[in-house]
Amino acid sequence: MKSATVPRSRQSPRARWLVPAALIFLSLVPVIAGTVRLTELWGGRITPDNARFFDSPVPVLIHIPTVTVYLVLGAFQFVPSLRRGTRGRASWHKIAGRILAPTGLLAALSGLWMAVFYDLPPLDGPLLLALRLAFGSAMVAFIVLGFIAVRRRNYVRHSEWMSRAYAIGIAQGTIVVVTIPWILLVGPVDELTRALLIGASWVLSLAVAEYFIHRRAQVPTRAALPSRAPSS
């Protein structure tokens, strides 16, 4: 009698890196914008666009580095091979998670502080402020729920909550994907259109996250499969 085998889908090494590569590509927008902002602060050149950052620089000096680490490092959390550890050694995924949870919280909380206490720039109205407060608060809540889930060893829920939190963070890159086609096809945005497009970027990112969460839920977990094929 031959040993039974469990069919297992195989991904090419290149395919495994498509998701993190796409996420890092989206991260380039907020990372480059943040680098430009830090350069302006370092150079001391005050303009009407950045005067609010010079008046209170600490939140932005916290926000930009933590967002950069969270988005770039977080992209690699979606590589399946990095989630597996060895006996007696924590996986790369677990080690990186200890960095990502606090940096994600700092990024979200500093972003909320800036949304509330900085003067609104041009084209940023009350609706966009309300959206930033709603999605920023949701990001904080998702990270906290993800942390609680992993402490309870509920790794499925942990993955779901952290995926949603990352989706909110990466939406800063999704904004470009949503906004540029609008500008090319329709024209410049006004206050209302800008708020709606940025809100749509958050919704789109979360919708993509929910799609992949649903897909993972349809795949039987490894624990549900036989740990070893029966032998004759």
Side-chain angles (χ1 to χ4, degrees), residues 89-108:
R89 288 185 64 182
S91 66
W92 189 95
H93 182 91
K94 186 174 183 180
I95 295 170
R98 294 169 180 167
I99 301 171
L100 288 168
T103 54
L105 285 175
L106 283 172

PDB file of all heavy atoms in Angstrom, residues 89-108:
ATOM      1  N   ARG A  89      14.412  28.857  17.834  1.00  0.00           N
ATOM      2  CA  ARG A  89      14.701  30.185  17.269  1.00  0.00           C
ATOM      3  C   ARG A  89      13.421  30.803  16.745  1.00  0.00           C
ATOM      4  O   ARG A  89      12.637  30.141  16.055  1.00  0.00           O
ATOM      5  CB  ARG A  89      15.728  30.095  16.131  1.00  0.00           C
ATOM      6  CG  ARG A  89      17.131  29.797  16.597  1.00  0.00           C
ATOM      7  CD  ARG A  89      18.097  29.838  15.422  1.00  0.00           C
ATOM      8  NE  ARG A  89      18.180  31.168  14.825  1.00  0.00           N
ATOM      9  CZ  ARG A  89      18.904  31.463  13.771  1.00  0.00           C
ATOM     10  NH1 ARG A  89      19.605  30.503  13.165  1.00  0.00           N
ATOM     11  NH2 ARG A  89      18.941  32.689  13.289  1.00  0.00           N
ATOM     12  N   ALA A  90      13.223  32.072  17.080  1.00  0.00           N
ATOM     13  CA  ALA A  90      12.043  32.779  16.586  1.00  0.00           C
ATOM     14  C   ALA A  90      12.183  33.027  15.097  1.00  0.00           C
ATOM     15  O   ALA A  90      13.291  33.217  14.575  1.00  0.00           O
ATOM     16  CB  ALA A  90      11.870  34.101  17.325  1.00  0.00           C
ATOM     17  N   SER A  91      11.078  33.027  14.395  1.00  0.00           N
ATOM     18  CA  SER A  91      11.092  33.306  12.962  1.00  0.00           C
ATOM     19  C   SER A  91      11.375  34.784  12.709  1.00  0.00           C
ATOM     20  O   SER A  91      11.197  35.631  13.591  1.00  0.00           O
ATOM     21  CB  SER A  91       9.743  32.932  12.333  1.00  0.00           C
ATOM     22  OG  SER A  91       8.723  33.776  12.838  1.00  0.00           O
ATOM     23  N   TRP A  92      11.788  35.065  11.469  1.00  0.00           N
ATOM     24  CA  TRP A  92      11.989  36.468  11.080  1.00  0.00           C
ATOM     25  C   TRP A  92      10.689  37.237  11.258  1.00  0.00           C
ATOM     26  O   TRP A  92      10.692  38.391  11.686  1.00  0.00           O
ATOM     27  CB  TRP A  92      12.455  36.523   9.629  1.00  0.00           C
ATOM     28  CG  TRP A  92      12.892  37.885   9.185  1.00  0.00           C
ATOM     29  CD1 TRP A  92      14.156  38.369   9.174  1.00  0.00           C
ATOM     30  CD2 TRP A  92      12.054  38.955   8.706  1.00  0.00           C
ATOM     31  NE1 TRP A  92      14.163  39.663   8.709  1.00  0.00           N
ATOM     32  CE2 TRP A  92      12.888  40.047   8.419  1.00  0.00           C
ATOM     33  CE3 TRP A  92      10.693  39.084   8.505  1.00  0.00           C
ATOM     34  CZ2 TRP A  92      12.405  41.257   7.934  1.00  0.00           C
ATOM     35  CZ3 TRP A  92      10.196  40.288   8.021  1.00  0.00           C
ATOM     36  CH2 TRP A  92      11.048  41.352   7.741  1.00  0.00           C
ATOM     37  N   HIS A  93       9.578  36.597  10.925  1.00  0.00           N
ATOM     38  CA  HIS A  93       8.258  37.226  11.032  1.00  0.00           C
ATOM     39  C   HIS A  93       7.988  37.684  12.471  1.00  0.00           C
ATOM     40  O   HIS A  93       7.496  38.797  12.700  1.00  0.00           O
ATOM     41  CB  HIS A  93       7.195  36.213  10.591  1.00  0.00           C
ATOM     42  CG  HIS A  93       5.799  36.739  10.615  1.00  0.00           C
ATOM     43  ND1 HIS A  93       5.202  37.341   9.524  1.00  0.00           N
ATOM     44  CD2 HIS A  93       4.868  36.762  11.601  1.00  0.00           C
ATOM     45  CE1 HIS A  93       3.973  37.700   9.840  1.00  0.00           C
ATOM     46  NE2 HIS A  93       3.747  37.362  11.090  1.00  0.00           N
ATOM     47  N   LYS A  94       8.289  36.840  13.425  1.00  0.00           N
ATOM     48  CA  LYS A  94       8.033  37.169  14.830  1.00  0.00           C
ATOM     49  C   LYS A  94       8.949  38.292  15.319  1.00  0.00           C
ATOM     50  O   LYS A  94       8.509  39.208  16.023  1.00  0.00           O
ATOM     51  CB  LYS A  94       8.229  35.922  15.688  1.00  0.00           C
ATOM     52  CG  LYS A  94       7.855  36.115  17.151  1.00  0.00           C
ATOM     53  CD  LYS A  94       7.943  34.803  17.904  1.00  0.00           C
ATOM     54  CE  LYS A  94       7.507  34.987  19.353  1.00  0.00           C
ATOM     55  NZ  LYS A  94       7.578  33.694  20.103  1.00  0.00           N
ATOM     56  N   ILE A  95      10.218  38.224  14.937  1.00  0.00           N
ATOM     57  CA  ILE A  95      11.165  39.268  15.351  1.00  0.00           C
ATOM     58  C   ILE A  95      10.761  40.620  14.769  1.00  0.00           C
ATOM     59  O   ILE A  95      10.753  41.639  15.465  1.00  0.00           O
ATOM     60  CB  ILE A  95      12.594  38.885  14.914  1.00  0.00           C
ATOM     61  CG1 ILE A  95      13.048  37.619  15.655  1.00  0.00           C
ATOM     62  CG2 ILE A  95      13.565  40.033  15.172  1.00  0.00           C
ATOM     63  CD1 ILE A  95      14.342  37.041  15.126  1.00  0.00           C
ATOM     64  N   ALA A  96      10.412  40.625  13.478  1.00  0.00           N
ATOM     65  CA  ALA A  96       9.995  41.872  12.838  1.00  0.00           C
ATOM     66  C   ALA A  96       8.708  42.399  13.455  1.00  0.00           C
ATOM     67  O   ALA A  96       8.519  43.612  13.586  1.00  0.00           O
ATOM     68  CB  ALA A  96       9.809  41.652  11.335  1.00  0.00           C
ATOM     69  N   GLY A  97       7.818  41.489  13.864  1.00  0.00           N
ATOM     70  CA  GLY A  97       6.562  41.912  14.474  1.00  0.00           C
ATOM     71  C   GLY A  97       6.759  42.700  15.752  1.00  0.00           C
ATOM     72  O   GLY A  97       5.967  43.589  16.072  1.00  0.00           O
ATOM     73  N   ARG A  98       7.813  42.380  16.491  1.00  0.00           N
ATOM     74  CA  ARG A  98       8.107  43.114  17.727  1.00  0.00           C
ATOM     75  C   ARG A  98       8.524  44.555  17.445  1.00  0.00           C
ATOM     76  O   ARG A  98       8.448  45.415  18.320  1.00  0.00           O
ATOM     77  CB  ARG A  98       9.204  42.386  18.507  1.00  0.00           C
ATOM     78  CG  ARG A  98       8.769  41.026  19.025  1.00  0.00           C
ATOM     79  CD  ARG A  98       9.946  40.229  19.546  1.00  0.00           C
ATOM     80  NE  ARG A  98       9.525  38.921  20.033  1.00  0.00           N
ATOM     81  CZ  ARG A  98      10.355  37.930  20.315  1.00  0.00           C
ATOM     82  NH1 ARG A  98      11.677  38.086  20.135  1.00  0.00           N
ATOM     83  NH2 ARG A  98       9.894  36.775  20.767  1.00  0.00           N
ATOM     84  N   ILE A  99       8.986  44.801  16.232  1.00  0.00           N
ATOM     85  CA  ILE A  99       9.317  46.169  15.816  1.00  0.00           C
ATOM     86  C   ILE A  99       8.099  46.852  15.210  1.00  0.00           C
ATOM     87  O   ILE A  99       7.835  48.030  15.450  1.00  0.00           O
ATOM     88  CB  ILE A  99      10.478  46.148  14.805  1.00  0.00           C
ATOM     89  CG1 ILE A  99      11.716  45.495  15.419  1.00  0.00           C
ATOM     90  CG2 ILE A  99      10.789  47.545  14.285  1.00  0.00           C
ATOM     91  CD1 ILE A  99      12.834  45.240  14.424  1.00  0.00           C
ATOM     92  N   LEU A 100       7.334  46.088  14.430  1.00  0.00           N
ATOM     93  CA  LEU A 100       6.238  46.679  13.666  1.00  0.00           C
ATOM     94  C   LEU A 100       5.082  47.142  14.531  1.00  0.00           C
ATOM     95  O   LEU A 100       4.462  48.166  14.234  1.00  0.00           O
ATOM     96  CB  LEU A 100       5.734  45.659  12.631  1.00  0.00           C
ATOM     97  CG  LEU A 100       6.693  45.426  11.468  1.00  0.00           C
ATOM     98  CD1 LEU A 100       6.275  44.205  10.664  1.00  0.00           C
ATOM     99  CD2 LEU A 100       6.738  46.655  10.568  1.00  0.00           C
ATOM    100  N   ALA A 101       4.748  46.410  15.580  1.00  0.00           N
ATOM    101  CA  ALA A 101       3.615  46.813  16.422  1.00  0.00           C
ATOM    102  C   ALA A 101       3.844  48.195  17.050  1.00  0.00           C
ATOM    103  O   ALA A 101       2.993  49.086  16.904  1.00  0.00           O
ATOM    104  CB  ALA A 101       3.335  45.757  17.482  1.00  0.00           C
ATOM    105  N   PRO A 102       4.983  48.430  17.728  1.00  0.00           N
ATOM    106  CA  PRO A 102       5.187  49.774  18.290  1.00  0.00           C
ATOM    107  C   PRO A 102       5.372  50.863  17.247  1.00  0.00           C
ATOM    108  O   PRO A 102       4.877  51.981  17.426  1.00  0.00           O
ATOM    109  CB  PRO A 102       6.439  49.620  19.165  1.00  0.00           C
ATOM    110  CG  PRO A 102       7.107  48.375  18.696  1.00  0.00           C
ATOM    111  CD  PRO A 102       6.031  47.492  18.173  1.00  0.00           C
ATOM    112  N   THR A 103       6.071  50.559  16.144  1.00  0.00           N
ATOM    113  CA  THR A 103       6.248  51.601  15.129  1.00  0.00           C
ATOM    114  C   THR A 103       4.916  51.929  14.451  1.00  0.00           C
ATOM    115  O   THR A 103       4.644  53.091  14.132  1.00  0.00           O
ATOM    116  CB  THR A 103       7.276  51.182  14.056  1.00  0.00           C
ATOM    117  OG1 THR A 103       6.905  49.918  13.502  1.00  0.00           O
ATOM    118  CG2 THR A 103       8.664  51.093  14.641  1.00  0.00           C
ATOM    119  N   GLY A 104       4.078  50.912  14.241  1.00  0.00           N
ATOM    120  CA  GLY A 104       2.758  51.170  13.673  1.00  0.00           C
ATOM    121  C   GLY A 104       1.904  52.042  14.576  1.00  0.00           C
ATOM    122  O   GLY A 104       1.216  52.952  14.107  1.00  0.00           O
ATOM    123  N   LEU A 105       1.952  51.756  15.879  1.00  0.00           N
ATOM    124  CA  LEU A 105       1.193  52.576  16.829  1.00  0.00           C
ATOM    125  C   LEU A 105       1.718  54.004  16.851  1.00  0.00           C
ATOM    126  O   LEU A 105       0.931  54.968  16.859  1.00  0.00           O
ATOM    127  CB  LEU A 105       1.267  51.967  18.228  1.00  0.00           C
ATOM    128  CG  LEU A 105       0.406  50.726  18.472  1.00  0.00           C
ATOM    129  CD1 LEU A 105       0.684  50.155  19.860  1.00  0.00           C
ATOM    130  CD2 LEU A 105      -1.084  51.066  18.333  1.00  0.00           C
ATOM    131  N   LEU A 106       3.035  54.162  16.875  1.00  0.00           N
ATOM    132  CA  LEU A 106       3.609  55.518  16.871  1.00  0.00           C
ATOM    133  C   LEU A 106       3.248  56.262  15.596  1.00  0.00           C
ATOM    134  O   LEU A 106       2.940  57.468  15.637  1.00  0.00           O
ATOM    135  CB  LEU A 106       5.127  55.440  17.027  1.00  0.00           C
ATOM    136  CG  LEU A 106       5.656  55.157  18.435  1.00  0.00           C
ATOM    137  CD1 LEU A 106       7.165  54.917  18.400  1.00  0.00           C
ATOM    138  CD2 LEU A 106       5.333  56.316  19.384  1.00  0.00           C
ATOM    139  N   ALA A 107       3.284  55.579  14.467  1.00  0.00           N
ATOM    140  CA  ALA A 107       2.935  56.220  13.193  1.00  0.00           C
ATOM    141  C   ALA A 107       1.481  56.681  13.203  1.00  0.00           C
ATOM    142  O   ALA A 107       1.165  57.813  12.812  1.00  0.00           O
ATOM    143  CB  ALA A 107       3.175  55.257  12.038  1.00  0.00           C
ATOM    144  N   ALA A 108       0.584  55.808  13.676  1.00  0.00           N
ATOM    145  CA  ALA A 108      -0.836  56.154  13.686  1.00  0.00           C
ATOM    146  C   ALA A 108      -1.139  57.258  14.697  1.00  0.00           C
ATOM    147  O   ALA A 108      -1.873  58.209  14.397  1.00  0.00           O
ATOM    148  CB  ALA A 108      -1.665  54.910  13.994  1.00  0.00           C
TER     149      ALA A 108
END
